[in-house]
């Protein structure tokens, strides 16, 4: 019986030991799906992490190569205000922390013209492809986690 346990333990640990001994087989992260930029993007949004209250979006900016955090990534947000209009009051730029974390607060974005509620996001970081995507909040929620996984440039 002891032999069977040791055999099982050895077989169970082999993949873990292989990964530790061979870092080239380390974890990879699935890149965030891109989405449309839309016609309302304006560069140079004000530096701030809040454009309203009621909805908090948090997450990590990571590399798809090894899931490593990306510090200092520039993250731009824009969304429609409660009146369903885009304006400068609902645009923001912030940078990811050393841990790759970010936090953005806004009103719950309204749907309009048949579009579901959404927040536009543009992320850029040195050595990575720029990501344009959108976050689609679930109805009647006050926040969500939304990781932004970037692809390294070749």
């Amino acid at each position: 019986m002891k032999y069977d346990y040791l055999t099982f333990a050895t077989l169970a640990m082999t993949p873990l030991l292989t990964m530790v001994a061979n870092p080239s087989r380390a974890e990879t992260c699935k890149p965030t799906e891109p989405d449309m930029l839309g016609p309302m993007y304006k560069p140079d949004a004000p530096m701030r992490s809040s454009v309203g209250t009621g909805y908090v979006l948090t997450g990590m900016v990571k590399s798809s190569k090894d899931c490593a955090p990306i510090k200092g990534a520039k993250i731009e947000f824009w969304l429609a205000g409660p009146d369903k209009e885009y304006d400068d009051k609902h645009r923001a730029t912030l940078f990811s922390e050393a841990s790759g974390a970010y936090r953005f607060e806004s009103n719950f974005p309204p749907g309009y013209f048949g579009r579901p509620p959404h927040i536009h996001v543009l992320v850029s970081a040195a050595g990575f492809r720029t990501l344009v995507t959108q976050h689609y909040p679930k109805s009647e929620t006050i926040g969500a986690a939304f990781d932004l996984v970037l692809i390294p440039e070749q």
Side-chain angles (χ1 to χ4, degrees):
M1 191 61 84
K2 190 182 238 183
Y3 177 77
D4 289 336
Y5 173 75
L6 290 174
T7 301
F8 174 76
T10 301
L11 290 173
M13 292 298 293
T14 299
L16 178 61
L17 293 173
T18 302
M19 190 170 72
V20 170
N22 185 1
S24 66
R25 294 184 58 180
E27 177 182 15
T28 58
C29 288
K30 181 179 182 241
T32 301
E33 290 290 327
D35 205 329
M36 64 182 171
L37 181 68
M40 304 311 255
Y41 172 72
K42 285 174 48 178
D44 304 318
M47 290 288 302
R48 56 186 169 196
S49 61
S50 178
V51 296
T53 59
Y55 192 77
V56 177
L57 189 60
T58 60
M60 300 284 293
V61 183
K62 303 178 191 180
S63 169
S64 65
K65 180 180 178 181
D66 56 7
C67 300
I70 301 172
K71 77 173 192 173
K74 181 180 181 181
I75 311 170
E76 298 176 72
F77 298 94
W78 66 104
L79 66 148
D83 61 358
K84 300 182 181 182
E85 297 289 327
Y86 284 86
D87 58 34
D88 288 344
K89 293 184 274 186
H90 294 92
R91 299 173 48 237
T93 299
L94 56 86
F95 290 87
S96 61
E97 299 173 3
S99 65
Y102 75 89
R103 181 183 188 280
F104 174 69
E105 185 170 7
S106 69
N107 55 281
F108 189 92
Y112 59 88
F113 301 126
R115 296 248 11 242
H118 60 280
I119 299 172
H120 294 269
V121 185
L122 188 149
V123 188
S124 55
F128 293 88
R129 294 184 199 168
T130 297
L131 170 67
V132 175
T133 192
Q134 294 182 33
H135 167 68
Y136 296 92
K138 293 186 181 355
S139 62
E140 300 184 28
T141 58
I142 59 170
F146 186 54
D147 287 344
L148 302 164
V149 181
L150 307 183
I151 299 171
E153 291 179 338
Q154 297 298 330

